[in-house]
Amino acid sequence: MKKGHFIAVLLFLLVLPIITFSYNVRTGDTLGIWVLGYPEYSITNAIVGPEGEITVPPIGRIKAEGRTLGEIENEISTKMESYIKTNKVTVGITQYAPFSVTVLGNTNINGVIDIRNEKIKLSDLIGLAGGIKDITKSSYALIKSPDGKEQKVNIEWIKSGEAGEDPYIYENYFVLFPYDYTNKVTVFSDFGTSSLDYYEGLTLKTVISSMNIPTNKMPTKIMIVREAEIQEVPFDEIVKKEDYSLQPGDTVIIPYNYTNNVLVFSDFGSASLEYFEGMGIKSVITLLNVSLNKVEDSVAVVREGNTTTLSLQKITNDEDFSLQPGDTVIINKFENYVYVSSQEISRRVDFEKQERMNIRTLLTKVSISEENVEEVQVNNQSVDTSFDLKKGDFVQITLKRNYVYLSGAFNRTGKVEFLPDEKISMDKVVGLAGGFSNNFSGNLVIVENSGSTKSLTVDPNNLTALKDVLLSSGSTIIADTELRIAYIFGEFSNVRAYNQGESLYELLLPFNLNESYQVRYQIDEKTGTLTANEFDSLKNIPLEGKVFVEISKIAPDQVIVYKAGETQVIQQKNVRLIDVFASVKGFSPVDTGTITIYQNNEKIKTINSEELLNNLMMEVPKGSYVVVQPEVSGSYIAVLGNISPKSLRTDVPMSLVEILSSSAIDWKNQESIFIYTKNNEEIKVDIKDVDSLRNVLVNPGSIVYVPPIEEQVVYVFGEVSKPGIIPYNSGMTVLDAILKAGNASQSAQLTTVYLFKDGPENPPVTLDLSGIINAAPVKTGMNPEVKPKDIIYIPKNTLTNIVEVMSVVQTFMSFINTGFDTYTKVSGLF
């Protein structure tokens, strides 16, 4: 392991417990348990089960729910001393169990939202709920915690986009965004959501009657939210005593009455089943679609605070147990398991009900031949293969050794076996591994049984020298990998892995570049610039390590032809006037007209139909824009340039405002446009003064040209589909920029996204986008607005060191900045 990586891992292990040391573990959380120096005892997926326990090999099950990570660490460390005298145990949260928050009111998504975190800020919760539906109609949020405490939070700050009161929301909180500027009564319930027009005399009984809810499913209490206060109204009082008068702006919340249901909690899934006459345990198991062979031997029923334990065998063979409304049924999965550790595996092995739990059956289940076993120990005691096992036993299997382990840049990794007396040579090992993968660095590390190591430099194309390298059984051979990644941006954006021995020519081959493109590269510390058709030079530039390549267009390579609403692009080595004429079917539907060629913001030649025959073989410069204008009774106004070309059919002059209003022009940054009249006159118009545009009339036969502008940009690097330069838009957020870069890749670590606001030399802001990456990209604390020249970096994993991030970003930016003039250069008029 490299020194920097070791420090990063060490810092992670040291910091993780500090961050979450006081967190109380919940059912469904996934814990990571690391035993320093003993990877066979470390696990990353210890899930806290329904009973609040986790399974930790080799010590078995321990209580986790409701305890802090520090308490769990201490218990594991103490019990582990029976197996490891000196141990350092670290426990962290690798994935939080989802907890529910109910969101109702003026948001685009209403209902229960699952949160995969310890807590969530109100602003981020709004993002998960799709944003506020109409911010002009809500001025506050009402937050109610499970203990009944209420908090009114002003959300007016959302309108301005500035920071405001932003409290944390926790498990089972209820958050309401009332419509406080409305003349309606809003009703939320499991039976439907509606908005009713208020009228004098509207009561709660009227609302309930209109929803047609069965009385046996009504809750005991109904909540009324009025002016940021929650009132609870007993349902019986509404029906039997005094009705409740509503007011404009009231919010009515009617929860479902679950007392007529049977609640089921099980390892196979939980459910709320509607009670029916004659319902029993057999019915519940059938409804859950669970095999009896997979159910624990006993089932528990909780009724009015008392628990009854029932025998499953008695229920299935004798008589069923009758359930009542409100009962809770707990069904656990049958579990009979042991922990197995050997040179090649370390895991839990489950047994079925009908299986005999002995060593011989265990060996069959883990695919180990009995003749390859040297010794078996159960709980540190030697046993034979007929020994019967108990649930939770720790089984250590020592295998007869005549094999080696392969890892790293082999085409096949894992255990490679040889005959008992066969000599193990390195050339045989490489042959059985199928050779090396493309990212092999050329260096082998051999780790002997004794722990000693040695390095070996290998030429992958010449393995004859390896036949004299003999290995001892049980050794581990590691083929070092080398990061071979090329970042390509500019005219083309891509991230490519390349093979060892490839050159810059082979990297660029798929892009089919010609002399119109320039290639600027940085390979290790070497930089240079070449034209894309300098093939011999490109072939002599080998690739190694991280490669940065910018592809820029330095000369136009096409001719654009326009005729009365029809546009053709001609991209060939030599373009002649006859090619232009033929591409748009000449002057049809007539026989006469004119051809005008524009380049570099100037009209360079006009040819009429009489001169055409003498100029058919004339070469048209690349980058030109050619207008073919038939002589017809009517005419067109052509709109061209930094927009989608279009043609406006007209016989009378048109206002410039009318012409530009339907065009997607960047009014904020565009300063001027040009009008080329039928008489070859050029008119420059300042479009910043919009009022004056109304007085500018454009005659038929004219061309309106919108010149290109320099775009403002944002930089997005790291784990996205198209890293590089992103055009900036006003109001753009971090999520908007990531989506424009092709969205985050599957390997992206979204819990630590870095935003550089003050250049790559200064420390970035760290953002957690994991909870909102798929939500509406509304502006929140974790999804702030970006400004031009901001830099966003998405790492591959949480172990990425901040110093390493800053180094990579500085390398990117220095490479981009030295060639930015080339990137922004506009070649040709059109």
Side-chain angles (χ1 to χ4, degrees):
M1 181 183 290
K2 294 181 180 179
K3 183 179 179 183
H5 292 176
F6 175 77
I7 293 172
V9 172
L10 186 60
L11 284 173
F12 173 71
L13 295 178
L14 292 176
V15 173
L16 180 64
I18 297 171
I19 296 173
T20 57
F21 211 72
S22 60
Y23 171 72
N24 288 320
V25 173
R26 304 196 309 264
T27 296
D29 282 342
T30 303
L31 306 186
I33 301 166
W34 296 271
V35 183
L36 195 61
Y38 295 89
E40 65 270 23
Y41 295 126
S42 300
I43 53 175
T44 58
N45 59 345
I47 301 174
V48 182
E51 297 177 1
E53 295 180 336
I54 57 173
T55 301
V56 183
I59 62 178
R61 298 176 73 85
I62 66 168
K63 182 72 173 175
E65 184 182 21
R67 303 176 70 188
T68 67
L69 299 179
E71 291 169 343
I72 297 171
E73 273 183 11
N74 292 336
E75 181 176 348
I76 294 174
S77 182
T78 300
K79 291 186 175 180
M80 195 71 78
E81 288 179 357
S82 301
Y83 305 92
I84 309 168
K85 294 303 178 186
T86 304
N87 63 82
K88 167 60 180 170
V89 177
T90 302
V91 179
I93 303 288
T94 58
Q95 185 174 343
Y96 288 94
F99 70 80
S100 299
V101 174
T102 302
V103 179
L104 296 176
N106 187 15
T107 53
N108 285 296
I109 298 173
N110 272 219
V112 177
I113 296 178
D114 283 340
I115 310 298
R116 287 191 173 274
N117 216 323
E118 180 183 353
K119 57 190 176 183
I120 188 171
K121 282 191 173 182
L122 177 63
S123 59
D124 292 327
L125 181 65
I126 292 172
L128 287 178
I132 300 296
K133 186 183 294 184
D134 188 347
I135 190 59
T136 64
K137 293 185 178 179
S138 291
S139 62
Y140 68 92
L142 192 61
I143 302 171
K144 186 174 182 180
S145 58
D147 60 5
K149 292 181 181 178
E150 298 172 15
Q151 180 182 4
K152 180 181 179 182
V153 177
N154 187 304
I155 60 170
E156 292 281 338
W157 51 268
I158 293 179
K159 297 179 185 177
S160 64
E162 298 176 356
E165 189 178 0
D166 200 5
Y168 280 107
I169 309 298
Y170 295 89
E171 185 169 8
N172 294 326
Y173 270 42
F174 168 84
V175 183
L176 176 70
F177 298 89
Y179 291 90
D180 52 355
Y181 307 114
T182 181
N183 198 41
K184 294 180 178 289
V185 171
T186 308
V187 183
F188 295 101
S189 79
D190 292 323
F191 310 95
T193 299
S194 60
S195 181
L196 309 174
D197 290 324
Y198 176 79
Y199 58 83
E200 190 68 33
L202 181 64
T203 66
L204 196 52
K205 188 184 292 185
T206 307
V207 170
I208 296 171
S209 300
S210 68
M211 297 189 72
N212 196 26
I213 304 172
T215 55
N216 67 329
K217 294 186 178 180
M218 287 295 296
T220 56
K221 291 183 179 180
I222 297 171
M223 288 192 291
I224 311 293
V225 181
R226 178 179 296 168
E227 296 179 354
E229 291 186 1
I230 297 178
Q231 306 174 45
E232 292 187 340
V233 181
F235 176 66
D236 283 347
E237 287 188 9
I238 299 170
V239 176
K240 299 177 183 177
K241 297 181 182 178
E242 186 176 353
D243 201 355
Y244 186 90
S245 297
L246 298 173
Q247 295 181 9
D250 280 354
T251 298
V252 180
I253 301 171
I254 306 174
Y256 191 88
N257 181 5
Y258 291 100
T259 57
N260 197 46
N261 283 22
V262 172
L263 299 180
V264 181
F265 296 95
S266 80
D267 294 327
F268 310 98
S270 300
S272 177
L273 306 176
E274 191 165 345
Y275 176 78
F276 56 85
E277 192 68 34
M279 189 177 193
I281 299 295
K282 284 183 182 178
S283 310
V284 170
I285 294 174
T286 302
L287 290 170
L288 289 177
N289 195 25
V290 176
S291 169
L292 291 174
N293 288 331
K294 297 185 179 295
V295 177
E296 186 63 80
D297 291 333
S298 60
V299 176
V301 177
V302 181
R303 178 179 296 169
E304 296 179 356
N306 298 317
T307 302
T308 303
T309 302
L310 307 166
S311 166
L312 181 65
Q313 184 178 4
K314 186 174 181 182
I315 291 171
T316 53
N317 295 338
D318 237 346
E319 65 177 65
D320 201 358
F321 181 86
S322 298
L323 296 171
Q324 296 179 8
D327 280 353
T328 297
V329 180
I330 301 172
I331 302 173
N332 292 319
K333 182 179 180 181
F334 173 82
E335 288 188 314
N336 226 1
Y337 55 85
V338 296
Y339 298 103
V340 179
S341 177
S342 74
Q343 294 99 316
E344 37 175 54
I345 59 169
S346 180
R347 63 184 176 91
R348 168 176 150 170
V349 177
D350 293 296
F351 288 80
E352 300 292 334
K353 272 187 178 181
Q354 67 277 11
E355 284 185 313
R356 183 180 176 187
M357 285 181 63
N358 62 11
I359 297 297
R360 190 167 285 115
T361 307
L362 177 63
L363 293 174
T364 302
K365 293 177 76 69
V366 296
S367 302
I368 295 177
S369 172
E370 192 173 333
E371 60 192 33
N372 290 333
V373 176
E374 188 172 290
E375 183 187 18
V376 178
Q377 288 189 338
V378 177
N379 301 329
N380 295 329
Q381 300 293 322
S382 293
V383 298
D384 59 27
T385 54
S386 62
F387 183 82
D388 288 325
L389 298 166
K390 302 187 300 299
K391 180 179 177 180
D393 278 347
F394 183 68
V395 183
Q396 291 174 295
I397 302 172
T398 304
L399 300 174
K400 297 175 183 176
R401 296 188 170 191
N402 199 28
Y403 49 81
V404 293
Y405 293 107
L406 306 183
S407 68
F410 290 105
N411 281 321
R412 288 193 295 272
T413 58
K415 181 182 175 183
V416 177
E417 295 190 3
F418 294 84
L419 296 174
D421 299 323
E422 186 179 2
K423 289 184 178 180
I424 306 175
S425 62
M426 183 62 76
D427 62 329
K428 290 181 182 178
V429 169
V430 175
L432 291 171
F436 300 103
S437 58
N438 292 332
N439 59 347
F440 177 48
S441 68
N443 185 51
L444 289 175
V445 178
I446 303 170
V447 183
E448 302 283 357
N449 282 328
S450 62
S452 62
T453 62
K454 61 181 178 181
S455 296
L456 193 64
T457 301
V458 176
D459 180 359
N461 301 314
N462 182 15
L463 302 178
T464 55
L466 297 181
K467 65 181 180 180
D468 296 325
V469 179
L470 298 179
L471 304 170
S472 59
S473 180
S475 297
T476 299
I477 300 98
I478 304 167
D480 270 353
T481 58
E482 182 177 59
L483 184 63
R484 298 195 185 97
I485 295 292
Y487 298 92
I488 303 168
F489 48 94
E491 290 290 327
F492 302 91
S493 293
N494 203 345
V495 178
R496 285 193 56 204
Y498 61 85
N499 298 329
Q500 186 181 24
E502 281 191 351
S503 66
L504 190 54
Y505 171 79
E506 291 163 310
L507 180 68
L508 299 176
L509 197 57
F511 299 106
N512 195 25
L513 304 178
N514 55 33
E515 67 276 4
S516 300
Y517 294 90
Q518 176 182 279
V519 176
R520 194 168 61 89
Y521 62 89
Q522 178 175 317
I523 301 172
D524 200 9
E525 299 298 324
K526 295 173 290 189
T527 60
T529 303
L530 294 168
T531 305
N533 65 341
E534 296 182 56
F535 302 131
D536 290 338
S537 298
L538 292 172
K539 289 176 181 177
N540 290 325
I541 301 174
L543 303 178
E544 55 180 309
K546 287 183 181 177
V547 174
F548 301 94
V549 178
E550 180 191 48
I551 302 173
S552 306
K553 184 179 283 190
I554 55 174
D557 61 348
Q558 60 186 22
V559 172
I560 300 176
V561 185
Y562 179 80
K563 173 191 167 186
E566 180 182 359
T567 303
Q568 297 290 335
V569 178
I570 303 177
Q571 194 163 8
Q572 58 192 48
K573 189 169 185 181
N574 296 308
V575 180
R576 295 181 173 82
L577 193 58
I578 190 171
D579 302 316
V580 171
F581 194 66
S583 68
V584 290
K585 299 179 181 178
F587 295 123
S588 63
V590 296
D591 297 325
T592 58
T594 59
I595 298 175
T596 308
I597 303 174
Y598 295 87
Q599 189 181 41
N600 297 328
N601 207 16
E602 294 180 1
K603 183 185 294 185
I604 62 172
K605 194 169 183 65
T606 300
I607 302 167
N608 60 35
S609 48
E610 295 175 358
E611 302 168 326
L612 184 60
L613 287 175
N614 296 326
N615 290 279
L616 285 176
M617 300 309 292
M618 182 188 81
E619 190 166 323
V620 180
K622 298 285 185 69
S624 300
Y625 202 105
V626 184
V627 178
V628 178
Q629 180 70 55
E631 288 186 2
V632 292
S633 56
S635 191
Y636 294 86
I637 295 174
V639 185
L640 310 170
N642 191 32
I643 57 170
S644 299
K646 66 178 180 177
S647 181
L648 303 175
R649 178 74 166 82
T650 180
D651 296 318
V652 297
M654 293 181 66
S655 165
L656 188 57
V657 169
E658 183 181 357
I659 293 171
L660 297 179
S661 61
S662 60
S663 301
I665 294 178
D666 186 355
W667 292 92
K668 184 178 61 158
N669 297 314
Q670 193 79 41
E671 294 183 354
S672 59
I673 61 108
F674 293 89
I675 301 173
Y676 297 92
T677 68
K678 199 171 184 179
N679 299 322
N680 298 328
E681 181 185 4
E682 179 186 280
I683 304 172
K684 183 178 180 181
V685 181
D686 181 4
I687 68 170
K688 290 296 184 185
D689 186 1
V690 179
D691 290 334
S692 67
L693 301 184
R694 304 181 189 279
N695 303 319
V696 179
L697 296 178
V698 181
N699 291 311
S702 299
I703 294 176
V704 177
Y705 170 59
V706 182
I709 57 174
E710 182 177 331
E711 292 183 310
Q712 294 176 298
V713 296
V714 173
Y715 306 99
V716 183
F717 301 135
E719 295 299 307
V720 290
S721 298
K722 297 179 180 179
I725 301 170
I726 303 300
Y728 170 78
N729 295 329
S730 178
M732 176 184 281
T733 66
V734 171
L735 273 180
D736 291 326
I738 292 173
L739 292 174
K740 279 200 169 188
N743 209 343
S745 65
Q746 290 185 347
S747 59
Q749 183 60 45
L750 295 169
T751 57
T752 49
V753 175
Y754 299 100
L755 173 62
F756 291 79
K757 301 289 290 183
D758 303 310
E761 306 83 14
N762 298 302
V765 178
T766 303
L767 306 172
D768 181 356
L769 302 183
S770 58
I772 59 174
I773 188 67
N774 294 319
V778 295
K779 178 182 169 185
T780 68
M782 282 295 166
N783 184 33
E785 233 178 76
V786 295
K787 298 297 180 188
K789 303 300 174 70
D790 279 357
I791 305 165
I792 300 166
Y793 182 85
I794 305 177
K796 193 166 187 176
N797 57 60
T798 52
L799 300 184
T800 304
N801 190 294
I802 187 65
V803 177
E804 183 182 343
V805 170
M806 293 180 68
S807 173
V808 171
V809 170
Q810 287 174 25
T811 304
F812 262 116
M813 292 308 299
S814 67
F815 182 66
I816 286 176
N817 290 335
T818 56
F820 194 69
D821 290 339
T822 305
Y823 175 80
T824 56
K825 180 179 178 182
V826 179
S827 301
L829 173 60
F830 301 100

